[in-house]
Amino acid sequence: MSMSLNLWLEYILRFSHLVAGIAWIGSSFYFIWLDSSFVAPETPRKNVEGEVFMVHGGFYYQVEKRKIFPGEIPKTLHWFKWEATLTLLTGFCLLIFLYYLNGATLLVDSSIRAWTQTQAISLSLGIIAAAWVIYDLIWNANLVRSKTLSLVLSVIFFSALTVLNFSIFSGRGAYMQTGVIFGTLMLLNVWIRILPGQSKMLKEAQAGQIPDYSVSLKSKVRSVHNTYFIFPVLFIMLSNHFPTIYNHSHNLVMLICLAISGALIRHAMVTKLPRERWVLLPAAIGFAFLVFITAQTPELPPAPEMVGFQQVKAIIANRCQTCHSPNPTDDTFKVAPKGIVFENEAQVRALADKIHVQVVVGRTMPLGNKTLMTDEERAIINQWLIQ
Ligand code: HEC
């Protein structure tokens, strides 16, 4: 595909994913806020549990939280499901475009496991599907009756899942795979566990029966889970722009720390009990810990005291030019990625800062360590950059 077409396709996919995500998370936050703001009406009205008054854009809005019984069904009922669906669909297109195509080079790191493209994609899809089955079983009230037990099992399960992703995929791939799993669970919660229950209650009311509102409580559990996934997913969406995070030697611990801190922030935001806001303290400690580990310079083997460009040139020829040259020999990249070529010292010097981030700090390049660069070589490049 031509470079320009590639660029715009990626741009449009990212843009639609972002817009759909804003709509989904925006409506999610709005309902979280609504749920925590209802007060009982001054003069009680039949079937109305709470009401809320708002002012926005020059008008007043009154929203009631209520149950619906036979004979009370509104002509138009607005459902909130397409924001979520579109977010996941555009997200999946992005996953395919960025991580599954191009030989799955962003998903695979040959120094972790040298999967073929088909193997990497099958593993990724298989793990996503299995994650839903297991999560759904853990929260099946007929199977696991205690919510505390479900919670403990979930923590163990999600930690093991993250470890598994990091033992299979590249740092960037593992971050994204974990995020895609969370996003998929959120969407399947909506379509498989929330909407069918809602439709059932509506049909009962339409058929003139008293709806079984115990179903609402079951849907609510999954709806609440979805709110806990929001921040971890957003962190992961941002993380793929930060090689220093996803390729850090402690990237796994950092992801778990980010996810837990995100879930705690969500809890503090939503809880009706002010004393539960203590959870912000561990979240803050989590972030301080992240700052601390990224401040450590990555360990590299000792390099010779003086390094000449000839040494660097030889390394670049072996490890980088298969992709970054006017005529790449790589099996996937037939044009130099991002137009970056390293043919002479000036071109290398011009990108010194970026090379430092990609090769020494983040270890993102060579991509998926396809050309098997060694730590000694990274140390030599680092030494030359320092000089
Ligand atoms: C297998 C192919 C491949 C090899 C080998 C490779 N790169 Fe890259 N490089 C890429 C791709 C693809 C991108 C674009 C990545 C993206 O879009 O995030 C890139 C981007 C870059 C960037 C720009 C990053 C930015 O900030 O946008 C730098 C700098 C870079 N590579 C340096 C190197 C160096 C130095 C080496 C050798 C040590 C190397 N690359 C080896 C494929 C490769």
Side-chain angles (χ1 to χ4, degrees), residues 37-41 49-52:
S37 307
F38 284 114
V39 287
E49 292 176 7
E51 67 179 353
V52 103

Side-chain angles (χ1 to χ4, degrees), residues 23-192:
W24 182 12
I25 293 166
S27 60
S28 214
F29 276 2
Y30 176 65
F31 278 101
I32 290 176
W33 176 84
L34 264 185
D35 260 334
S36 64
S37 307
F38 284 114
V39 287
E42 272 174 32
T43 35
R45 293 193 295 280
K46 206 177 148 224
N47 299 333
V48 174
E49 292 176 7
E51 67 179 353
V52 103
F53 277 98
M54 292 166 289
V55 52
H56 186 80
F59 284 89
Y60 295 92
Y61 298 80
Q62 180 187 8
V63 176
E64 276 179 354
K65 180 172 181 171
R66 56 173 304 139
K67 287 181 175 142
I68 282 179
F69 289 96
E72 298 176 342
I73 298 154
K75 261 200 202 131
T76 331
L77 191 58
H78 297 282
W79 294 74
F80 289 80
K81 55 188 172 192
W82 296 115
E83 302 86 341
T85 313
L86 263 179
T87 310
L88 203 87
L89 284 181
T90 48
F92 245 94
C93 291
L94 259 179
L95 179 72
I96 295 170
F97 184 75
L98 291 174
Y99 293 84
Y100 288 179
L101 296 182
N102 274 334
T105 22
L106 286 186
L107 199 56
V108 179
D109 181 337
S110 50
S111 59
I112 297 175
R113 287 281 166 87
W115 306 110
T116 64
Q117 181 179 20
T118 322
Q119 286 172 331
I121 298 175
S122 318
L123 276 166
S124 164
L125 291 173
I127 294 174
I128 296 172
W132 164 257
V133 174
I134 298 173
Y135 159 81
D136 197 50
L137 286 175
I138 292 179
W139 288 94
N140 181 328
N142 299 326
L143 271 179
V144 188
R145 288 182 190 280
S146 140
K147 271 194 186 164
T148 321
L149 183 58
S150 296
L151 188 68
V152 173
L153 289 175
S154 300
V155 172
I156 298 173
F157 168 60
F158 284 123
S159 309
L161 187 69
T162 316
V163 173
L164 177 72
N165 285 336
F166 276 88
S167 65
I168 294 183
F169 303 113
S170 66
R172 181 169 170 176
Y175 265 70
M176 204 35 77
Q177 168 81 7
T178 310
V180 170
I181 290 175
F182 289 167
T184 309
L185 300 189
M186 289 167 82
L187 189 78
L188 294 180
N189 270 342
V190 171
W191 280 97
I192 300 184

